[in-house]
Coordinates of all heavy atoms in Angstrom, one line a residue:
W29 N 0.8 -1.2 0.0 CA 0.0 0.0 0.0 C 0.9 1.2 0.0 O 2.0 1.2 0.4 CB -1.0 0.0 1.2 CG -0.3 -0.2 2.5 CD1 -0.2 -1.4 3.2 CD2 0.2 0.8 3.4 NE1 0.5 -1.2 4.4 CE2 0.7 0.2 4.5 CE3 0.4 2.2 3.3 CZ2 1.3 0.9 5.6 CZ3 1.0 2.9 4.3 CH2 1.5 2.2 5.4
T30 N 0.3 2.3 -0.4 CA 1.0 3.6 -0.4 C 0.0 4.6 0.2 O -1.2 4.4 0.2 CB 1.4 4.1 -1.8 OG1 0.2 4.2 -2.6 CG2 2.3 3.1 -2.4
L31 N 0.6 5.6 0.8 CA -0.2 6.7 1.3 C 0.2 8.0 0.5 O 1.3 8.6 0.8 CB 0.0 6.9 2.8 CG -0.8 8.1 3.4 CD1 -2.3 7.9 3.3 CD2 -0.4 8.2 4.9
P32 N -0.5 8.3 -0.6 CA -0.1 9.5 -1.4 C 0.0 10.7 -0.5 O -0.8 10.9 0.5 CB -1.3 9.6 -2.4 CG -1.9 8.2 -2.4 CD -1.7 7.7 -1.0
E33 N 0.9 11.6 -0.9 CA 1.1 12.9 -0.2 C -0.2 13.7 -0.1 O -0.9 13.8 -1.2 CB 2.2 13.7 -0.8 CG 2.6 14.8 0.1 CD 3.9 15.5 -0.4 OE1 4.7 14.8 -1.0 OE2 4.0 16.7 -0.2
G34 N -0.6 14.1 1.0 CA -1.8 14.9 1.2 C -3.1 14.1 1.3 O -4.2 14.6 1.6
A35 N -3.0 12.8 1.2 CA -4.1 11.9 1.3 C -4.3 11.4 2.7 O -3.4 11.4 3.5 CB -4.0 10.7 0.3
N36 N -5.5 11.1 3.0 CA -5.8 10.5 4.3 C -6.3 9.1 4.3 O -6.8 8.5 5.2 CB -6.8 11.4 5.1 CG -8.2 11.4 4.3 OD1 -8.3 10.8 3.3 ND2 -9.1 12.1 4.9
R37 N -6.1 8.5 3.1 CA -6.5 7.1 2.9 C -5.4 6.3 2.2 O -4.8 6.8 1.2 CB -7.8 7.1 2.0 CG -8.5 5.9 2.1 CD -9.9 6.1 1.5 NE -10.6 4.9 1.7 CZ -11.7 4.6 1.2 NH1 -12.3 5.4 0.4 NH2 -12.3 3.4 1.4
L38 N -5.2 5.0 2.6 CA -4.2 4.2 2.0 C -4.7 3.8 0.6 O -5.9 3.6 0.3 CB -4.0 2.9 2.8 CG -3.5 3.1 4.2 CD1 -3.4 1.7 4.9 CD2 -2.1 3.6 4.1
K39 N -3.7 3.6 -0.3 CA -4.0 3.2 -1.7 C -3.5 1.7 -1.8 O -2.3 1.5 -1.7 CB -3.4 4.1 -2.7 CG -3.7 3.7 -4.1 CD -3.1 4.7 -5.1 CE -3.4 4.2 -6.5 NZ -2.7 5.0 -7.5
P40 N -4.4 0.8 -2.1 CA -3.9 -0.6 -2.2 C -2.9 -0.8 -3.4 O -3.0 0.0 -4.3 CB -5.2 -1.4 -2.6 CG -6.3 -0.5 -2.1 CD -5.8 0.9 -2.2
G41 N -2.0 -1.7 -3.2 CA -0.9 -1.9 -4.2 C -0.8 -3.3 -4.7 O 0.1 -3.5 -5.5
L42 N -1.6 -4.2 -4.3 CA -1.5 -5.6 -4.8 C -2.6 -5.9 -5.8 O -3.3 -7.0 -5.7 CB -1.5 -6.5 -3.6 CG -0.4 -6.3 -2.5 CD1 -0.7 -7.2 -1.3 CD2 0.9 -6.6 -3.1
H43 N -2.8 -5.1 -6.8 CA -3.9 -5.3 -7.7 C -3.8 -6.6 -8.5 O -4.9 -7.0 -9.0 CB -4.0 -4.1 -8.7 CG -4.2 -2.8 -8.0 ND1 -5.4 -2.5 -7.4 CD2 -3.4 -1.8 -7.8 CE1 -5.3 -1.3 -6.8 NE2 -4.1 -0.8 -7.1
N44 N -2.7 -7.1 -8.6 CA -2.5 -8.4 -9.4 C -2.9 -9.6 -8.6 O -3.0 -10.7 -9.2 CB -1.1 -8.5 -10.0 CG -0.1 -8.5 -8.9 OD1 -0.2 -7.9 -7.8 ND2 1.0 -9.2 -9.1
I45 N -3.1 -9.5 -7.3 CA -3.5 -10.6 -6.5 C -5.0 -10.8 -6.5 O -5.7 -9.9 -6.1 CB -3.0 -10.4 -5.0 CG1 -1.5 -10.1 -5.0 CG2 -3.3 -11.6 -4.2 CD1 -0.6 -11.2 -5.5
R46 N -5.4 -12.0 -7.0 CA -6.9 -12.2 -7.1 C -7.3 -13.4 -6.2 O -8.5 -13.7 -6.1 CB -7.3 -12.5 -8.5 CG -7.1 -11.2 -9.4 CD -7.8 -11.4 -10.7 NE -7.7 -10.2 -11.4 CZ -8.1 -10.0 -12.6 NH1 -8.7 -11.0 -13.2 NH2 -7.9 -8.9 -13.2
R47 N -6.3 -14.1 -5.6 CA -6.6 -15.2 -4.8 C -5.7 -15.3 -3.6 O -4.5 -15.2 -3.8 CB -6.5 -16.5 -5.6 CG -6.8 -17.7 -4.9 CD -8.3 -17.8 -4.7 NE -8.6 -19.1 -4.0 CZ -9.8 -19.7 -4.0 NH1 -10.7 -19.1 -4.7 NH2 -10.0 -20.8 -3.4
L48 N -6.2 -15.3 -2.4 CA -5.4 -15.5 -1.2 C -5.8 -16.8 -0.5 O -7.0 -17.1 -0.3 CB -5.7 -14.4 -0.2 CG -5.3 -13.0 -0.5 CD1 -5.8 -12.0 0.5 CD2 -3.7 -12.9 -0.5
V49 N -4.8 -17.6 -0.2 CA -5.1 -18.9 0.5 C -4.2 -19.0 1.7 O -3.0 -18.8 1.6 CB -4.8 -20.1 -0.4 CG1 -5.0 -21.4 0.3 CG2 -5.6 -20.0 -1.7
A50 N -4.8 -19.2 2.9 CA -4.1 -19.3 4.1 C -4.2 -20.8 4.6 O -5.3 -21.3 4.6 CB -4.6 -18.4 5.2
V51 N -3.1 -21.4 4.9 CA -3.0 -22.7 5.4 C -2.4 -22.7 6.7 O -1.3 -22.2 6.9 CB -2.2 -23.7 4.4 CG1 -2.2 -25.1 5.0 CG2 -2.8 -23.7 3.0
T52 N -3.1 -23.2 7.8 CA -2.6 -23.1 9.1 C -3.0 -24.2 10.0 O -3.9 -25.0 9.6 CB -3.1 -21.7 9.8 OG1 -2.5 -21.6 11.0 CG2 -4.6 -21.7 9.9
T53 N -2.4 -24.4 11.1 CA -2.8 -25.4 12.1 C -3.0 -24.7 13.4 O -2.4 -23.7 13.7 CB -1.8 -26.5 12.2 OG1 -0.5 -26.0 12.6 CG2 -1.6 -27.3 10.9
H54 N -3.8 -25.3 14.3 CA -4.0 -24.8 15.6 C -4.0 -26.0 16.6 O -4.5 -27.1 16.3 CB -5.4 -24.1 15.7 CG -5.6 -22.9 14.8 ND1 -5.2 -21.7 15.2 CD2 -6.0 -22.8 13.6 CE1 -5.5 -20.8 14.3 NE2 -5.9 -21.5 13.2
G55 N -3.5 -25.8 17.7 CA -3.5 -26.8 18.8 C -4.9 -26.9 19.4 O -5.3 -27.9 19.9
S56 N -5.6 -25.8 19.4 CA -6.9 -25.7 20.1 C -8.0 -26.1 19.1 O -7.8 -26.1 17.9 CB -7.1 -24.3 20.6 OG -7.0 -23.3 19.5
P57 N -9.2 -26.3 19.7 CA -10.3 -26.6 18.8 C -10.9 -25.3 18.2 O -10.6 -24.2 18.6 CB -11.4 -27.2 19.8 CG -11.0 -26.8 21.2 CD -9.5 -26.6 21.1
K58 N -11.6 -25.5 17.1 CA -12.2 -24.4 16.4 C -13.0 -23.4 17.3 O -12.9 -22.2 17.1 CB -13.0 -24.9 15.2 CG -13.6 -23.7 14.4 CD -14.3 -24.2 13.2 CE -14.9 -23.1 12.3 NZ -14.0 -22.1 11.8
W59 N -13.8 -24.0 18.2 CA -14.6 -23.1 19.0 C -13.8 -22.2 19.9 O -14.2 -21.0 20.1 CB -15.6 -23.9 19.8 CG -15.0 -24.7 21.0 CD1 -14.6 -26.0 21.0 CD2 -14.9 -24.2 22.3 NE1 -14.1 -26.3 22.2 CE2 -14.3 -25.2 23.1 CE3 -15.1 -23.0 22.9 CZ2 -14.0 -25.1 24.4 CZ3 -14.8 -22.9 24.3 CH2 -14.3 -23.9 25.0
I60 N -12.7 -22.6 20.3 CA -11.8 -21.7 21.1 C -11.3 -20.5 20.2 O -11.4 -19.4 20.6 CB -10.5 -22.4 21.6 CG1 -10.9 -23.5 22.7 CG2 -9.5 -21.5 22.2 CD1 -11.3 -22.9 24.0
N61 N -10.9 -20.8 19.0 CA -10.5 -19.8 18.1 C -11.7 -18.8 17.8 O -11.5 -17.6 17.7 CB -10.0 -20.4 16.8 CG -8.6 -21.0 17.0 OD1 -7.6 -20.3 16.9 ND2 -8.6 -22.3 17.4
M62 N -12.9 -19.3 17.6 CA -14.0 -18.5 17.4 C -14.3 -17.6 18.6 O -14.5 -16.4 18.4 CB -15.2 -19.4 17.1 CG -15.1 -20.0 15.7 SD -16.5 -21.2 15.4 CE -17.9 -20.1 15.4
V63 N -14.2 -18.1 19.8 CA -14.4 -17.3 21.0 C -13.4 -16.2 21.1 O -13.7 -15.0 21.5 CB -14.4 -18.2 22.3 CG1 -14.3 -17.3 23.5 CG2 -15.6 -19.1 22.3
E64 N -12.2 -16.5 20.7 CA -11.1 -15.5 20.8 C -11.1 -14.5 19.6 O -10.3 -13.6 19.5 CB -9.7 -16.3 20.8 CG -9.5 -17.0 22.1 CD -8.2 -17.8 22.1 OE1 -7.7 -18.1 21.0 OE2 -7.8 -18.2 23.2
G65 N -12.0 -14.7 18.6 CA -12.1 -13.8 17.5 C -11.4 -14.1 16.2 O -11.5 -13.3 15.3
E66 N -10.8 -15.2 16.2 CA -10.1 -15.7 14.9 C -9.3 -14.6 14.3 O -9.4 -14.2 13.1 CB -11.1 -16.3 13.9 CG -11.8 -17.5 14.4 CD -12.7 -18.1 13.4 OE1 -13.6 -17.4 12.9 OE2 -12.5 -19.3 13.1
A67 N -8.3 -14.1 15.0 CA -7.5 -12.9 14.6 C -6.8 -13.2 13.3 O -6.7 -12.3 12.4 CB -6.5 -12.5 15.7
G68 N -6.2 -14.3 13.1 CA -5.5 -14.7 11.9 C -6.4 -14.7 10.7 O -6.0 -14.1 9.6
K69 N -7.5 -15.3 10.8 CA -8.5 -15.4 9.7 C -9.0 -14.0 9.4 O -9.1 -13.6 8.2 CB -9.6 -16.3 10.1 CG -10.6 -16.5 9.0 CD -11.7 -17.5 9.4 CE -12.6 -17.8 8.3 NZ -13.6 -18.8 8.7
R70 N -9.2 -13.2 10.4 CA -9.7 -11.8 10.1 C -8.6 -11.0 9.4 O -8.9 -10.2 8.5 CB -10.1 -11.1 11.5 CG -11.4 -11.4 11.9 CD -11.9 -10.4 13.0 NE -10.9 -9.7 13.7 CZ -10.5 -10.0 14.9 NH1 -11.1 -11.0 15.6 NH2 -9.6 -9.3 15.5
T71 N -7.4 -11.2 9.8 CA -6.3 -10.4 9.1 C -6.2 -10.8 7.6 O -6.1 -9.9 6.8 CB -4.9 -10.8 9.8 OG1 -5.0 -10.4 11.2 CG2 -3.8 -10.1 9.1
V72 N -6.4 -12.0 7.3 CA -6.3 -12.4 5.9 C -7.5 -12.0 5.1 O -7.4 -11.4 4.1 CB -6.1 -14.0 5.8 CG1 -6.3 -14.4 4.3 CG2 -4.7 -14.4 6.3
T73 N -8.7 -12.3 5.7 CA -9.9 -12.0 4.9 C -10.4 -10.6 4.9 O -11.1 -10.2 4.0 CB -11.1 -12.9 5.5 OG1 -11.3 -12.6 6.9 CG2 -10.8 -14.4 5.4
R74 N -9.9 -9.8 5.8 CA -10.3 -8.4 5.8 C -9.1 -7.4 5.5 O -9.2 -6.7 4.5 CB -10.9 -8.0 7.2 CG -12.1 -8.7 7.5 CD -12.6 -8.2 8.9 NE -13.8 -9.0 9.3 CZ -14.3 -8.9 10.5 NH1 -13.9 -8.1 11.4 NH2 -15.4 -9.7 10.8
S75 N -8.1 -7.4 6.3 CA -7.0 -6.5 6.1 C -6.2 -6.7 4.9 O -6.0 -5.9 4.1 CB -6.1 -6.5 7.4 OG -6.9 -6.2 8.5
L76 N -5.7 -7.9 4.7 CA -4.8 -8.2 3.6 C -5.6 -8.2 2.3 O -5.1 -7.7 1.3 CB -4.1 -9.6 3.8 CG -3.0 -10.0 2.8 CD1 -2.0 -8.9 2.7 CD2 -2.4 -11.3 3.2
R77 N -6.8 -8.8 2.3 CA -7.6 -8.8 1.1 C -7.9 -7.4 0.6 O -8.0 -7.2 -0.6 CB -8.9 -9.6 1.4 CG -9.7 -9.7 0.1 CD -11.0 -10.6 0.4 NE -11.9 -10.4 -0.6 CZ -12.9 -9.5 -0.6 NH1 -13.0 -8.7 0.4 NH2 -13.7 -9.4 -1.7
A78 N -8.1 -6.5 1.5 CA -8.4 -5.1 1.1 C -7.3 -4.4 0.3 O -7.5 -3.5 -0.4 CB -8.6 -4.2 2.4
M79 N -6.1 -5.0 0.4 CA -4.9 -4.4 -0.4 C -4.8 -5.1 -1.8 O -4.0 -4.7 -2.6 CB -3.6 -4.7 0.4 CG -3.6 -3.9 1.7 SD -3.6 -2.1 1.4 CE -4.6 -1.6 2.7
C80 N -5.7 -6.1 -2.0 CA -5.6 -6.8 -3.3 C -6.7 -6.3 -4.3 O -7.4 -5.4 -4.0 CB -5.8 -8.3 -3.0 SG -4.5 -9.0 -1.9
D81 N -6.8 -7.0 -5.4 CA -7.8 -6.8 -6.4 C -9.2 -6.8 -5.7 O -9.4 -7.5 -4.8 CB -7.7 -7.8 -7.5 CG -8.7 -7.6 -8.6 OD1 -9.8 -8.0 -8.5 OD2 -8.3 -7.0 -9.6
R82 N -10.1 -5.9 -6.2 CA -11.4 -5.8 -5.6 C -12.2 -7.1 -5.6 O -13.0 -7.4 -4.8 CB -12.2 -4.8 -6.3 CG -11.8 -3.4 -6.1 CD -12.7 -2.4 -6.8 NE -12.1 -1.1 -6.7 CZ -12.9 -0.1 -6.4 NH1 -14.1 -0.2 -6.2 NH2 -12.3 1.1 -6.3
R83 N -11.9 -8.0 -6.6 CA -12.6 -9.3 -6.7 C -11.8 -10.4 -6.1 O -12.1 -11.6 -6.3 CB -12.9 -9.6 -8.2 CG -13.8 -8.6 -8.8 CD -14.0 -8.8 -10.3 NE -12.7 -8.8 -11.0 CZ -12.1 -7.8 -11.6 NH1 -12.7 -6.6 -11.5 NH2 -11.0 -7.8 -12.2
A84 N -10.8 -10.1 -5.3 CA -9.9 -11.2 -4.7 C -10.8 -12.1 -3.8 O -11.6 -11.6 -3.0 CB -8.8 -10.5 -3.9
R85 N -10.5 -13.4 -3.9 CA -11.2 -14.3 -3.1 C -10.3 -14.9 -2.1 O -9.1 -15.0 -2.3 CB -11.7 -15.5 -4.0 CG -12.8 -15.0 -4.9 CD -13.3 -16.1 -5.9 NE -13.5 -17.4 -5.2 CZ -13.4 -18.5 -5.8 NH1 -13.2 -18.6 -7.1 NH2 -13.6 -19.7 -5.2
T86 N -10.8 -15.3 -0.9 CA -9.9 -15.8 0.1 C -10.4 -17.2 0.5 O -11.6 -17.5 0.4 CB -10.0 -15.0 1.4 OG1 -11.3 -14.9 1.9 CG2 -9.4 -13.6 1.1
T87 N -9.5 -18.1 0.8 CA -9.7 -19.4 1.3 C -8.9 -19.6 2.6 O -7.7 -19.3 2.6 CB -9.3 -20.5 0.3 OG1 -10.1 -20.2 -0.9 CG2 -9.6 -21.9 0.8
W88 N -9.6 -20.1 3.6 CA -9.0 -20.3 4.9 C -9.0 -21.8 5.2 O -10.1 -22.4 5.3 CB -9.7 -19.6 6.0 CG -9.2 -19.8 7.4 CD1 -9.6 -20.6 8.4 CD2 -8.1 -19.1 8.0 NE1 -8.9 -20.5 9.5 CE2 -7.9 -19.6 9.3 CE3 -7.2 -18.1 7.5 CZ2 -6.9 -19.1 10.1 CZ3 -6.2 -17.7 8.3 CH2 -6.1 -18.1 9.6
L89 N -7.8 -22.5 5.2 CA -7.7 -23.9 5.4 C -7.0 -24.1 6.7 O -5.8 -23.8 6.9 CB -7.0 -24.6 4.3 CG -7.5 -24.5 2.9 CD1 -6.6 -25.0 1.9 CD2 -8.9 -25.2 2.8
A90 N -7.7 -24.6 7.7 CA -7.2 -24.8 9.0 C -7.4 -26.2 9.6 O -8.5 -26.8 9.4 CB -7.8 -23.8 10.0
L91 N -6.4 -26.8 10.2 CA -6.5 -28.0 10.9 C -6.5 -27.7 12.4 O -5.5 -27.2 12.9 CB -5.4 -29.0 10.5 CG -5.4 -30.3 11.3 CD1 -6.6 -31.1 11.1 CD2 -4.1 -31.1 11.0
Y92 N -7.6 -27.9 13.0 CA -7.7 -27.6 14.5 C -7.4 -28.9 15.3 O -7.5 -30.0 14.8 CB -9.1 -27.1 14.8 CG -9.4 -25.8 14.1 CD1 -10.1 -25.8 12.9 CD2 -9.1 -24.6 14.7 CE1 -10.3 -24.5 12.2 CE2 -9.3 -23.4 14.1 CZ -10.0 -23.4 12.8 OH -10.2 -22.2 12.2
R93 N -7.0 -28.7 16.5 CA -6.6 -29.8 17.4 C -5.5 -30.6 16.8 O -5.5 -31.8 16.9 CB -7.8 -30.7 17.7 CG -8.9 -29.9 18.5 CD -10.0 -30.9 18.8 NE -11.0 -30.1 19.5 CZ -11.9 -30.6 20.4 NH1 -11.8 -31.9 20.7 NH2 -12.8 -29.9 20.9
V94 N -4.5 -30.0 16.2 CA -3.5 -30.7 15.6 C -2.7 -31.5 16.6 O -2.1 -32.6 16.3 CB -2.5 -29.8 14.8 CG1 -1.7 -28.9 15.7 CG2 -1.6 -30.5 13.8
D95 N -2.6 -31.1 17.8 CA -1.9 -31.8 18.9 C -2.4 -33.2 19.2 O -1.7 -34.1 19.6 CB -1.9 -31.0 20.2 CG -1.3 -29.6 20.1 OD1 -0.6 -29.4 19.1 OD2 -1.5 -28.8 21.0
T96 N -3.7 -33.3 18.9 CA -4.3 -34.6 19.2 C -4.9 -35.3 18.0 O -5.6 -36.3 18.0 CB -5.5 -34.5 20.2 OG1 -6.4 -33.5 19.7 CG2 -5.0 -34.0 21.6
S97 N -4.6 -34.8 16.8 CA -5.1 -35.3 15.5 C -4.4 -36.6 15.2 O -3.3 -36.9 15.6 CB -4.9 -34.3 14.4 OG -3.5 -34.1 14.2
T98 N -5.1 -37.4 14.5 CA -4.6 -38.7 14.1 C -3.9 -38.6 12.7 O -4.0 -37.6 12.0 CB -5.8 -39.7 13.9 OG1 -6.6 -39.3 12.8 CG2 -6.6 -39.9 15.2
D99 N -3.2 -39.6 12.4 CA -2.5 -39.7 11.1 C -3.5 -39.5 9.9 O -3.3 -38.8 9.0 CB -1.7 -41.0 10.9 CG -0.5 -41.0 11.7 OD1 0.0 -40.0 12.2 OD2 0.0 -42.2 11.9
A100 N -4.7 -40.2 10.1 CA -5.7 -40.1 9.1 C -6.3 -38.7 8.9 O -6.5 -38.2 7.8 CB -6.9 -41.1 9.4
Q101 N -6.5 -38.0 10.0 CA -6.9 -36.6 10.0 C -5.9 -35.7 9.4 O -6.3 -34.8 8.6 CB -7.3 -36.1 11.4 CG -8.5 -36.7 12.0 CD -8.7 -36.5 13.5 OE1 -7.7 -36.4 14.2 NE2 -9.9 -36.3 13.9
R102 N -4.7 -35.8 9.7 CA -3.6 -35.0 9.1 C -3.5 -35.3 7.6 O -3.3 -34.4 6.8 CB -2.3 -35.2 9.8 CG -2.3 -34.6 11.2 CD -0.9 -34.6 11.8 NE -0.4 -35.9 12.0 CZ -0.6 -36.7 13.1 NH1 -1.4 -36.2 14.1 NH2 0.0 -37.9 13.2
A103 N -3.6 -36.6 7.2 CA -3.6 -36.9 5.8 C -4.8 -36.3 5.0 O -4.6 -35.8 3.9 CB -3.5 -38.4 5.6
A104 N -5.9 -36.4 5.6 CA -7.1 -35.8 5.0 C -7.0 -34.3 4.8 O -7.3 -33.7 3.8 CB -8.4 -36.1 5.8
F105 N -6.4 -33.6 5.8 CA -6.1 -32.2 5.7 C -5.1 -31.9 4.6 O -5.3 -31.0 3.8 CB -5.6 -31.6 7.0 CG -5.3 -30.2 7.0 CD1 -6.3 -29.3 6.9 CD2 -4.0 -29.7 7.1 CE1 -6.0 -27.9 6.9 CE2 -3.7 -28.4 7.1 CZ -4.7 -27.4 7.0
L106 N -4.1 -32.7 4.5 CA -3.1 -32.5 3.4 C -3.8 -32.7 2.0 O -3.5 -31.9 1.1 CB -1.9 -33.4 3.5 CG -1.0 -33.1 4.7 CD1 0.1 -34.1 4.8 CD2 -0.3 -31.7 4.5
D107 N -4.7 -33.7 1.9 CA -5.4 -33.9 0.7 C -6.2 -32.6 0.3 O -6.3 -32.2 -0.8 CB -6.3 -35.1 0.8 CG -5.5 -36.4 0.7 OD1 -4.4 -36.4 0.3 OD2 -6.1 -37.4 1.1
R108 N -6.9 -32.1 1.3 CA -7.7 -30.9 1.1 C -6.8 -29.7 0.7 O -7.2 -28.9 -0.2 CB -8.4 -30.5 2.4 CG -9.4 -29.4 2.3 CD -10.2 -29.2 3.6 NE -10.8 -28.0 3.6 CZ -11.0 -27.2 4.6 NH1 -10.5 -27.5 5.8 NH2 -11.6 -26.1 4.5
V109 N -5.6 -29.6 1.3 CA -4.7 -28.5 0.9 C -4.2 -28.6 -0.6 O -4.1 -27.7 -1.3 CB -3.5 -28.4 1.9 CG1 -2.4 -27.5 1.3 CG2 -4.0 -28.0 3.3
E110 N -4.0 -29.9 -1.0 CA -3.5 -30.1 -2.3 C -4.5 -30.0 -3.4 O -4.2 -29.8 -4.6 CB -2.9 -31.5 -2.4 CG -1.6 -31.6 -1.6 CD -1.0 -33.0 -1.5 OE1 -1.6 -33.9 -1.9 OE2 0.1 -33.1 -1.0
R111 N -5.8 -30.0 -3.1 CA -6.9 -29.9 -4.1 C -6.8 -28.5 -4.7 O -6.6 -27.5 -4.0 CB -8.3 -30.1 -3.4 CG -8.7 -31.5 -3.5 CD -10.1 -31.6 -3.0 NE -10.1 -32.1 -1.7 CZ -10.9 -31.8 -0.7 NH1 -11.9 -31.0 -0.9 NH2 -10.8 -32.3 0.5
P112 N -7.1 -28.4 -6.0 CA -7.0 -27.1 -6.7 C -8.2 -26.3 -6.3 O -9.2 -26.7 -5.9 CB -7.1 -27.5 -8.2 CG -7.4 -28.9 -8.3 CD -7.2 -29.5 -7.0

């Protein structure tokens, strides 16, 4: 982003970005993240997306409870991440 001289508003600079994908893991369950406000998801879907193309789409891929997840759950998550 840039802040043009004399302006009071940021000017987005990532116009060529039309797709944002965040891949993350959490040790806690999803409901804990929801109660806490899902700060990471909000940052990607609101703040970072605002700097991109107006039609930019976001995808949030998260594996919750990774500390207690099974091999099968982790493999299923990886399959989901690899899908186009």
Side-chain angles (χ1 to χ4, degrees):
W29 53 265
T30 59
L31 181 60
E33 191 168 329
N36 61 357
R37 197 165 186 194
L38 296 175
K39 182 177 177 186
L42 300 173
H43 300 290
N44 60 326
I45 306 295
R46 293 192 177 177
R47 180 74 179 201
L48 292 170
V49 179
V51 179
T52 187
T53 59
H54 298 272
S56 59
K58 181 174 176 60
W59 72 268
I60 293 284
N61 286 272
M62 290 174 63
V63 168
E64 293 175 343
E66 297 184 302
K69 185 175 183 178
R70 277 197 336 257
T71 299
V72 171
T73 58
R74 294 180 188 174
S75 302
L76 187 56
R77 184 176 165 269
M79 295 296 139
C80 299
D81 184 273
R82 289 180 187 230
R83 295 174 305 270
R85 294 175 45 203
T86 60
T87 301
W88 181 259
L89 300 172
L91 175 61
Y92 297 93
R93 295 185 183 205
V94 71
D95 299 347
T96 58
S97 64
T98 65
D99 288 341
Q101 289 169 321
R102 290 189 297 272
F105 179 69
L106 289 175
D107 288 341
R108 186 172 167 220
V109 168
E110 291 175 353
R111 268 188 258 149

